[in-house]
Amino acid sequence: MKCLFSISLAFAACITGNAQNFSNEIRLNQVGFYPTGSKIAVVSAGNPGTAFTIKKTDSGEVVYQGTLSAPRVNAFSQRNTRIADFSAFQKKGSFVVEVAALGISHPFEIKEKVHEPVAVGALKGFYFQRVSAGLPERYAGKWQRPAGHPDDKVLVHPSAASRARPAGTAIASPMGWYDAGDYNKYIVNSGITMGTLMSLYEDFPAFCKTLKTDIPESGNALPDLLDEVLWNLRWMLTMQDPDDGGVYHKLTNAEFDGMNQMPHQAVKPRYVVQKSTTATLDFAAVMAQAARIFRAFETQLPGLADSCLVAAESAWTWATLYPDVLYDQKAMNDQFEPDVNTGAYGDQEVSDEWLWAAAELYLTTQNYTYYQTVVFFNNADLSVPDWSDVEALASYSLLRHQKLLEAPYDGDVPEFKARIIRLADLLIQDVDKHAYHTVMGKTAKDFVWGSSAHAANQGILLIQAYSLTRDRKYLDHALGNLDYLLGRNATGYSFVTGFGDKTPMHPHHRPSVADGIPEPVPGLLSGGPNPNQQDKCTTYPSRIPDESFTDDDCSYASNEIAINWNAPLVYLAVAIEVLMGE
Ligand code: 9MR
Ligand code: 9MR
């Protein structure tokens, strides 16, 4: 079908009324662009010609004409792409890209603060994940739901038994966030999630104070971001055994629930399972950072900062006594009943958790014992963090608070910086040859389970490099990765539910599956392409790394959502808003 531009209504009907008119071969950030920022669409088609135009969505008026770049070859699919760069076009409004041979792109806006709704929506995503809370319509709209999982009588699993708490003891461990599409709560994954959100607050406190997510606590004296963090912090505090400081690895059902149950319908027994060194160190890091942040809210939350610090220090002590208690679910199941077959987060490499806990504890206490216990520069290179690799979080915090490093330790500052810059330079190398002109996806290794979070975490690393150098190229490439997440990628999806035109409608997310509402819960970041297809869904279009994504709720390996994926999205969207607004 061809669009008619003679009257504005016809054009509006054309672009909103019928999805056929959109070309899925023109891919761009479906939310939009900053007037003075870079603006790129990628055309992935055999023979698109050489020209593109920008048109107003309401009138169809052509406002810009451009030339497509020479073709680039996508290294995974061998498909040709061409870049439509319209950065020079700086007018505000709502537009589409048109390529005559193909049709029009999804509409997008050009304006200031264009990503603020994404930042707010992604943070609000955490509200929707709250455990032990009903979500009234007032805050949750049509995604309102009754409270689930009071977690007031959680059983101590035999693997977690101690003298004071024998197996079967019931403890209260309410609140927190559901980890992902499942209803369990995992300390390791809470670790990086909380660290990322609290680091966002420490990096951009003024802007974070203005972020309003319209949650029940919005009227109180705390920024909404910290109110949200508190919901999970209070749960985490209950996961520490008060008798020895060790921290349970997770709070979980024995088996995953069925997909068709809302939280309040999923009522199987829940257990706290085996303490682990990784969980305990991640907990120590989070509590130390929280102690630092909530110290400023002593009037509103008397004693909280002290409690967090005590919790952090006793967790550290436990870890020094039990440095090798790594979580091996199979070994645990061989030894104890009932078997537990939910998420393992079974990281077997604990050196990075030591660095992170040491860094946060040192920064909060200024006790150099923590700093000296670990060796910061024993690995060759820094890596983009994920739930199992938190070394970068230590570097970010130490550099943020580098004034707290006194001689001789201030001598380490240049090396912390250099390692971040080195990694950033590696990430941005040859982006101008890449099919989508993004840092994300230069290598097939980027397409892990949760690849969207990898893109967001690359973005954070680039933001850190920008903060250290003020070299604009790092910021531009961080923005490029946000563009990737919002649609400039080989699938053509914006991976954030509810943001953009073509977004996941069927994430592997139990409430979204079970609630009977056609639209999924909004503000959640879908995992993204993952050629390993561990879920064995049959609806994947392809095994090509950057295309191996299916918007099907069977697909936990490409289309689940998770708190450790949403947190870097919140960080990236907020940081971009702040820095592009400067
Ligand atoms: O729903 C579970 C999801 O949260 C996990 O990421 C995934 C992998 O651990 O497992 C999902 O649960 C599935 C289970 O592994 C196998 N049986 C079907 C379950 C729901 O699809
Ligand atoms: O994000 C995790 C990914 O790195 C692992 O490869 C995968 C399988 O162990 O598990 C992912 O985490 C899931 C967790 O185990 C259970 N809740 C849902 C998480 C996201 O899929």
Side-chain angles (χ1 to χ4, degrees):
M1 182 188 147
K2 217 164 175 302
C3 297
L4 297 171
F5 304 115
S6 50
I7 53 167
S8 59
L9 263 182
F11 188 79
C14 170
I15 65 156
T16 55
N18 186 343
Q20 272 163 248
N21 301 309
F22 295 114
S23 166
N24 191 40
E25 293 167 313
I26 307 172
R27 286 138 192 190
L28 46 62
N29 179 330
Q30 295 167 30
V31 171
F33 305 92
Y34 298 98
T36 57
S38 84
K39 302 174 196 71
I40 285 176
V42 172
V43 177
S44 177
N47 222 339
T50 54
F52 71 95
T53 58
I54 308 292
K55 289 181 162 173
K56 285 193 180 176
T57 40
D58 53 3
S59 64
E61 181 195 342
V62 175
V63 289
Y64 184 84
Q65 292 181 302
T67 307
L68 296 174
S69 74
R72 299 181 184 182
V73 181
N74 184 321
F76 310 125
S77 60
Q78 307 305 315
R79 291 186 217 283
N80 278 350
T81 64
R82 289 174 172 78
I83 308 294
D85 187 338
F86 52 105
S87 306
F89 179 68
Q90 302 198 336
K91 298 231 167 62
K92 294 179 196 170
S94 174
F95 306 97
V96 294
V97 172
E98 185 174 51
V99 175
L102 304 176
I104 57 171
S105 71
H106 294 286
F108 58 88
E109 289 187 280
I110 299 180
K111 62 177 186 186
E112 312 291 351
K113 301 190 176 187
V114 68
H115 293 112
E116 192 170 5
V118 178
V120 171
L123 180 54
K124 181 79 178 251
F126 284 88
Y127 171 71
F128 286 109
Q129 291 295 100
R130 285 189 186 185
V131 184
S132 321
L135 311 185
E137 187 177 12
R138 162 73 186 79
Y139 303 106
K142 62 183 170 187
W143 298 280
Q144 63 177 304
R145 60 167 172 82
H149 302 92
D151 285 342
D152 51 351
K153 291 187 196 70
V154 174
L155 303 174
V156 173
H157 188 263
S159 62
S162 62
R163 204 172 332 145
R165 290 180 165 185
T169 306
I171 66 167
S173 191
M175 305 171 77
W177 299 305
Y178 295 117
D179 184 57
D182 64 325
Y183 291 146
N184 305 302
K185 308 191 278 197
Y186 308 84
I187 287 290
V188 166
N189 207 40
S190 270
I192 185 167
T193 304
M194 295 285 276
T196 302
L197 292 175
M198 289 193 288
S199 290
L200 173 61
Y201 180 76
E202 288 196 302
D203 283 340
F204 305 102
F207 188 88
C208 286
K209 285 174 189 158
T210 70
L211 272 182
K212 291 273 173 250
T213 48
D214 192 23
I215 53 176
E217 299 83 358
S218 286
N220 73 11
L222 265 68
D224 288 1
L225 172 68
L226 293 185
D227 279 316
E228 201 52 66
V229 159
L230 255 184
W231 191 269
N232 201 56
L233 189 77
R234 294 202 187 283
W235 164 64
M236 289 184 79
L237 282 165
T238 69
M239 289 291 281
Q240 184 171 44
D241 183 344
D243 293 311
D244 64 5
V247 178
Y248 305 115
H249 194 71
K250 59 177 172 173
L251 188 163
T252 180
N253 294 353
E255 304 287 338
F256 285 114
D257 293 299
M259 288 304 292
N260 55 355
Q261 289 178 314
M262 289 298 283
H264 66 284
Q265 295 165 330
V267 294
K268 291 204 199 104
R270 282 155 78 88
Y271 302 89
V272 289
V273 174
Q274 191 202 299
K275 294 164 195 166
S276 73
T277 313
T278 48
T280 302
L281 287 169
D282 284 334
F283 173 99
V286 166
M287 290 302 156
Q289 192 174 12
R292 201 158 72 224
I293 290 173
F294 286 106
R295 186 66 69 197
F297 298 92
E298 197 55 43
T299 325
Q300 292 83 12
L301 300 162
L304 179 68
D306 284 338
S307 301
C308 290
L309 187 53
V310 169
E313 296 203 283
S314 63
W316 174 274
T317 303
W318 187 91
T320 59
L321 295 172
Y322 303 99
D324 308 310
V325 189
L326 301 178
Y327 187 74
D328 177 343
Q329 193 149 274
K330 190 181 172 305
M332 187 193 74
N333 286 338
D334 287 345
Q335 208 182 333
F336 301 104
E337 300 292 325
D339 282 10
V340 174
N341 288 310
T342 54
Y345 291 114
D347 180 13
Q348 300 296 303
E349 173 54 65
V350 75
S351 57
D352 51 299
E353 283 79 10
W354 280 108
L355 300 188
W356 186 34
E360 300 297 351
L361 271 159
Y362 162 66
L363 291 171
T364 299
T365 62
Q366 286 173 64
N367 175 349
Y368 271 103
T369 315
Y370 292 114
Y371 195 89
Q372 288 158 350
T373 305
V374 297
V375 180
F376 276 104
F377 306 129
N378 56 358
N379 286 333
D381 283 307
L382 194 64
S383 42
V384 173
D386 66 27
W387 63 262
S388 68
D389 179 358
V390 291
E391 174 177 358
L393 303 191
S395 311
Y396 298 167
S397 283
L398 288 166
L399 285 170
R400 179 183 314 126
H401 299 288
Q402 56 182 273
K403 292 207 177 78
L404 296 177
L405 284 174
E406 283 160 19
Y409 303 105
D410 54 352
D412 289 346
V413 168
E415 181 59 13
F416 282 117
K417 278 190 192 169
R419 289 159 63 86
I420 287 182
I421 308 293
R422 246 190 339 259
L423 178 53
D425 285 340
L426 207 65
L427 290 177
I428 68 176
Q429 199 179 0
D430 292 334
V431 167
D432 54 353
K433 300 194 182 84
H434 174 244
Y436 283 84
H437 201 86
T438 56
V439 163
M440 176 61 186
K442 283 195 307 174
T443 141
K445 289 195 200 106
D446 286 344
F447 296 99
V448 291
W449 186 322
S451 57
S452 296
H454 187 62
N457 276 310
Q458 289 177 328
I460 296 178
L461 189 285
L462 294 166
I463 295 287
Q464 299 293 328
Y466 175 68
S467 302
L468 293 168
T469 61
R470 292 279 145 180
D471 186 334
R472 179 81 192 194
K473 67 187 178 203
Y474 300 120
L475 178 58
D476 288 342
H477 286 299
L479 178 56
N481 268 19
L482 188 56
D483 289 340
Y484 166 93
L485 290 174
L486 295 171
R488 196 171 99 213
N489 61 62
T491 71
Y493 278 93
S494 161
F495 292 119
V496 186
T497 57
F499 289 86
D501 241 27
K502 182 177 175 175
T503 75
M505 292 298 286
H506 307 285
H508 183 89
H509 179 241
R510 283 169 175 74
S512 295
V513 170
D515 65 6
I517 312 277
E519 294 79 22
V521 170
L524 302 177
L525 181 61
S526 168
N530 166 15
N532 289 317
Q533 305 184 0
Q534 291 91 335
D535 46 50
K536 302 195 168 62
C537 290
T538 55
T539 51
Y540 282 95
S542 156
R543 277 199 181 272
I544 295 169
D546 58 354
E547 297 179 8
S548 182
F549 171 78
T550 177
D551 179 19
D552 186 332
D553 58 42
C554 67
S555 185
Y556 52 78
S558 84
N559 196 30
E560 191 164 351
I561 65 92
I563 57 173
N564 65 312
W565 305 344
N566 251 64
L569 171 65
V570 175
Y571 187 111
L572 184 59
V574 168
I576 292 284
E577 272 297 297
V578 175
L579 299 172
M580 292 300 294
E582 276 176 357

